Amino acid sequence: MKQNLGQLIKFCTIGGINTFLTYLIYLLLYQSTGNTFAMASGYGITSLLGLLFNDHWVFKADSPNFWLVLRFYATYGLTWLLSVGLTFIASNWWNFQAELIPLFCLLITTPTNFLLSKFWVFKKSSKTIQA
């Protein structure tokens, strides 16, 4: 249990750092490149950082290969679709307050992303991690 909590804390730390860096990259680029390119650049760069840090620090798989990378981005794609779907439902069906929708989505997508990462993306070595 302590091992899982340690991994979750590290996973959320990486996510928080990536969110901050994505925003920073966006701020640095959007005036010269446009909003979409700036956001895509920030997301692309930080997703690579997320892959590397989750591989080496959180789950200690130390074995990046084509299939691991494919599973990693499939997981992020799935949780992105989940977030978009939850946003639509929360705003159109449940009438959530708009400012709270991102927090609601994070409460669902973060554990989903963590569990998929732990048990599917980095599954081979996730049992041998020490907190």
Side-chain angles (χ1 to χ4, degrees), residues 48 51 63-75 121-122:
L48 289 172
L51 172 61
S63 60
N65 60 55
F66 173 78
W67 296 110
L68 184 140
V69 172
L70 184 66
R71 288 191 307 262
F72 179 83
Y73 282 105
T75 296
V121 177
F122 302 102

Side-chain angles (χ1 to χ4, degrees), residues 85-129:
L86 288 170
T87 298
F88 178 82
I89 291 167
S91 62
N92 292 301
W93 295 354
W94 297 337
N95 296 318
F96 273 32
Q97 186 176 347
E99 294 81 7
L100 298 178
I101 291 173
L103 296 175
F104 166 70
C105 290
L106 282 174
L107 289 174
I108 305 297
T109 59
T110 299
T112 301
N113 197 345
F114 175 75
L115 291 172
L116 285 170
S117 293
K118 180 173 177 64
F119 295 111
W120 185 52
V121 177
F122 302 102
K123 67 181 177 181
K124 289 184 181 179
S125 64
S126 63
K127 295 177 185 166
T128 62
I129 308 303

Side-chain angles (χ1 to χ4, degrees), residues 7-18 57:
Q7 287 178 326
L8 180 60
I9 290 169
K10 289 178 180 179
F11 185 83
C12 289
T13 300
I14 298 301
I17 291 168
N18 277 352
W57 184 54

